[in-house]
Amino acid sequence: MLASSALPRRLAAAAPSWSVDTDVVVLGSGAAGLSAALAARPVREVVLVTKDALDAGSTNWAQGGLAAVLDPSDGIENHVRDTIEAGAGLCDEAAVRLLVSEAPTAISYLTRLGASFDQVADEGVALTREGGHSHRRLVHAGGDRSGAEVQRTLDESVRLAGVKVIEQAFALDLEIGRDSKGQRCAVGVRVALLDEAGHVESVGVITARAVVIATGGYGQVYASTSNPPAVTGDGVAMAMRAGVAVSDMEFIQFHPTVLWLGADAIGQQALISEAVRGEGAKLVDARGESVMDGRHRLGDLAARDVVAAEIHKVMARSVGGIDDHVFLDARSIDRFAQRFPTITAACLAAEIDPSRDLIPVAPAAHYACGGVLANLNGATELRGLFVVGEAACTGVHGANRLASNSLTESVVAGTRLGRDLSWSLPERTDYVESVEQPALLDAAWRTELRSAMSKYVGVLRTPQGLRDAAECLERLADKCSSDVAPTRSSFEATNLLTIATAVVASASSRHESRGCHRRTDYVETLESWRRHQSVRDVDGELIVT
Ligand code: SIN
């Protein structure tokens, strides 16, 4: 199926004026990229490139924790079953087993690196629950600062290990060569060094025998998201421009509960962790009726796709005259402020006291289940290119990710890849292809793009909404030009356009509802659709198969 014909093939920027050579270049500085860099470093020269500060991505914001079977009354089979059930028929069981069986080792690895996870006196590590988990198995830190502790630990370890970190450097496009058998392969990356305002200071090329994309997801494709501003799908869009297949792009996970701060609130919204429901909070409508009772056997702790869809139904009915949020009643939780300090601070800033008041919440874009097709060791179809973390689609998450499997996956996959690269690197090659048609989308169009995605491609997708979104994106694709000033904002806007186009194309062609892809015109989950869709850029056109 043809999706678009006018997406830029390359981000427009000045010609390279410098070059650096290394063994491994890692793009992105969340848990996946840092883990890969750290594991490869003992025997390789590693350069890590990040467009912002090291801790500007999603890892630093993760609240709930890391899923791993650590309680003797729990078991690997339970975690495998919960992950597969949440994934709504599209998980790759072998990948899930690998992840789940290595998860406990990932926790002890982080602990040995210096991560301080919350403990219960005389009982060892504290475990909580989130949606879709049949047991308490989430390790957390600082109450709801789990991601920040993982980020701190890995940041320090990477710097101590001697990884060369380049901050404020935007990875533009892959450099593609041919190996001795004539096969296409990634041989490096074109990078723009940015000043504080996001203007380009210079452009260069980092050549490497392994290029690792670990740039995270693309929550900023939506106007309302739990993701920080830096999460714009840069690595996934870059891989697409190089002709590499991406998969499961229609499965955008909407977190059921971000803090609702009014209909006009856009950008990153404060997350109200599912662990709040794991500790006993209940979702209620404006009349105080439970949103989830009788809707699923796990009630308020059903998987995210189920809870987000039920909230959407309550909002559509405009219960009590409120059609854009529901409420979380967390008043029964003892010592809420100590257990959830970040959430408490966000609520208090909005003059809501969770120990006395109901917390207004709504779903928002949270996690990309899809991404560049890769295995759990990061290998992709393009030799020399490896992808780990949220940017990858490894089959672990299927049509809906189980809560807190993502940080665990990032550490497991990143470390597995780093170890592989320590052992062997792809061959070196000198020839580099040139690609034409550089262009950019002006950042001024970003608001229109993100609003259209939130309005038309959210929790529930209508046929007319998908058509309207596709029309909007085609109009924006026509506005791409080589005359647009190259800045961080225009690079990001162009990447968002590529990603959004792939999401809409995939969502339009999946004629069923499954996991976090729900349509009003195809409401059933169909056995004939128990398959993945891939999107590939072929000569500037996106083809969905
Ligand atoms: C949360 O704490 O609710 C989010 C954790 C996750 O996305 O896995």
Side-chain angles (χ1 to χ4, degrees):
M1 182 196 162
L2 186 69
S4 163
S5 58
L7 292 170
R9 305 292 320 286
R10 202 163 166 81
L11 298 185
S17 58
W18 51 267
S19 67
V20 168
D21 185 51
T22 187
D23 294 327
V24 178
V25 60
V26 177
L27 315 176
S29 57
L34 294 169
S35 298
L38 184 62
R41 173 62 195 130
V43 293
R44 303 294 178 199
E45 289 300 319
V46 182
V47 174
L48 186 143
V49 170
T50 186
K51 69 177 176 183
D52 205 304
L54 268 190
D55 60 359
S58 292
T59 292
N60 201 38
W61 292 88
Q63 294 183 350
L66 296 88
V69 171
L70 295 173
D71 179 346
S73 72
D74 194 3
I76 297 294
E77 286 308 315
N78 298 331
H79 191 180
V80 167
R81 191 185 53 242
D82 293 347
T83 301
I84 288 175
E85 193 176 315
L90 287 189
C91 292
D92 172 343
E93 186 172 337
V96 172
R97 277 188 186 283
L98 191 58
L99 170 70
V100 166
S101 57
E102 296 208 345
T105 310
I107 303 300
S108 51
Y109 174 66
L110 288 170
T111 306
R112 280 166 188 273
L113 289 176
S116 172
F117 294 116
D118 294 337
Q119 307 285 314
V120 179
D122 302 329
E123 284 179 33
V125 69
L127 299 173
T128 190
R129 263 181 89 184
E130 285 186 273
H133 286 276
S134 57
H135 286 72
R136 291 178 87 86
R137 65 168 75 97
L138 310 185
V139 176
H140 48 87
D144 56 10
R145 295 180 182 140
S146 310
E149 180 61 4
V150 172
Q151 183 86 46
R152 180 198 68 76
T153 303
L154 291 172
D155 283 357
E156 284 177 15
S157 303
V158 155
R159 290 203 191 267
L160 277 173
V163 171
K164 185 170 171 22
V165 173
I166 310 179
E167 292 175 306
Q168 310 289 349
F170 201 105
L172 300 170
D173 276 295
L174 291 168
E175 296 283 285
I176 303 292
R178 300 263 166 190
D179 64 16
S180 55
K181 296 192 188 94
Q183 304 271 339
R184 286 181 92 228
C185 55
V187 296
V189 61
R190 206 162 47 100
V191 169
L193 300 182
L194 305 172
D195 67 15
E196 287 293 326
H199 297 121
V200 177
E201 287 182 332
S202 69
V203 175
V205 172
I206 303 177
T207 51
R209 288 173 63 184
V211 180
V212 178
I213 291 178
T215 49
Y218 31 89
Q220 288 289 331
V221 151
Y222 286 86
S224 170
T225 173
S226 63
N227 293 184
V231 184
T232 52
D234 305 317
V236 178
M238 170 194 286
M240 288 180 66
R241 284 192 295 275
V244 179
V246 294
S247 194
D248 292 357
M249 298 295 284
E250 63 274 43
F251 298 115
I252 306 283
Q253 182 174 78
F254 292 84
H255 195 289
T257 58
V258 301
L259 182 61
W260 182 86
L261 290 176
D264 299 332
I266 52 161
Q268 184 182 12
Q269 311 290 303
L271 187 66
I272 309 292
S273 174
E274 237 169 24
V276 174
R277 275 175 284 136
E279 299 296 342
K282 304 278 285 177
L283 283 161
V284 293
D285 65 22
R287 296 208 177 99
E289 300 290 329
S290 166
V291 171
M292 289 309 298
D293 283 358
R295 299 287 165 197
H296 190 275
R297 69 186 161 76
L298 291 174
D300 282 271
L301 285 178
R304 282 184 190 159
D305 57 332
V306 176
V307 179
E310 290 302 330
I311 292 175
H312 197 274
K313 282 183 204 160
V314 170
M315 297 191 314
R317 288 205 310 273
S318 193
V319 176
I322 292 185
D323 65 359
D324 50 8
H325 63 281
V326 294
F327 299 91
L328 194 57
D329 186 350
R331 292 174 297 183
S332 64
I333 299 176
D334 277 347
R335 295 160 53 83
F336 187 96
Q338 281 89 339
R339 175 66 182 83
F340 298 111
T342 310
I343 295 169
T344 301
C347 289
L348 291 178
E351 298 183 359
I352 298 156
D353 177 353
S355 65
R356 283 203 326 252
D357 305 323
L358 297 180
I359 307 171
V361 290
H366 181 61
Y367 188 84
C369 300
V372 182
L373 263 177
N375 65 18
L376 257 194
N377 290 25
T380 71
E381 63 182 20
L382 183 66
R383 207 170 144 75
L385 178 68
F386 302 86
V387 185
V388 282
E390 192 174 348
C393 179
T394 61
V396 157
H397 307 306
N400 176 51
R401 173 180 64 92
L402 183 66
S404 286
N405 268 354
S406 49
L407 275 182
T408 309
E409 185 201 10
S410 291
V411 176
V412 167
T415 306
R416 290 177 67 88
L417 168 60
R419 287 196 316 244
D420 279 2
L421 295 177
S422 295
W423 198 250
S424 79
L425 287 174
E427 72 182 65
R428 187 169 288 287
T429 160
D430 290 332
Y431 166 79
V432 178
E433 275 178 8
S434 61
V435 182
E436 302 307 321
Q437 299 166 22
L440 291 171
L441 178 66
D442 194 296
W445 298 107
R446 212 166 142 148
T447 308
E448 183 172 338
L449 181 152
R450 298 174 69 222
S451 303
M453 290 298 287
S454 274
K455 189 165 170 199
Y456 301 128
V457 201
V459 175
L460 199 60
R461 296 158 181 183
T462 67
Q464 186 57 46
L466 289 171
R467 279 194 293 275
D468 289 347
E471 266 169 36
C472 167
L473 297 175
E474 270 168 39
R475 235 181 318 108
L476 296 183
D478 283 344
K479 297 187 185 302
C480 290
S481 142
S482 54
D483 295 335
V484 173
T487 62
R488 169 176 166 167
S489 296
S490 55
F491 299 146
E492 288 179 340
T494 313
N495 288 335
L496 289 173
L497 175 64
T498 297
I499 298 286
T501 306
V503 170
V504 171
S506 304
S508 303
S509 64
R510 182 174 283 277
H511 291 176
E512 66 156 357
S513 293
R514 180 186 294 275
C516 39
H517 167 70
R518 302 202 175 217
R519 290 185 56 150
T520 54
D521 48 346
Y522 298 103
V523 293
E524 306 293 335
T525 302
L526 301 174
E527 194 49 37
S528 55
W529 267 104
R530 195 185 174 107
R531 65 177 179 84
H532 301 275
Q533 296 189 111
S534 290
V535 184
R536 192 186 291 280
D537 185 322
V538 179
D539 297 331
E541 297 175 357
L542 294 195
I543 309 290
V544 184
T545 51

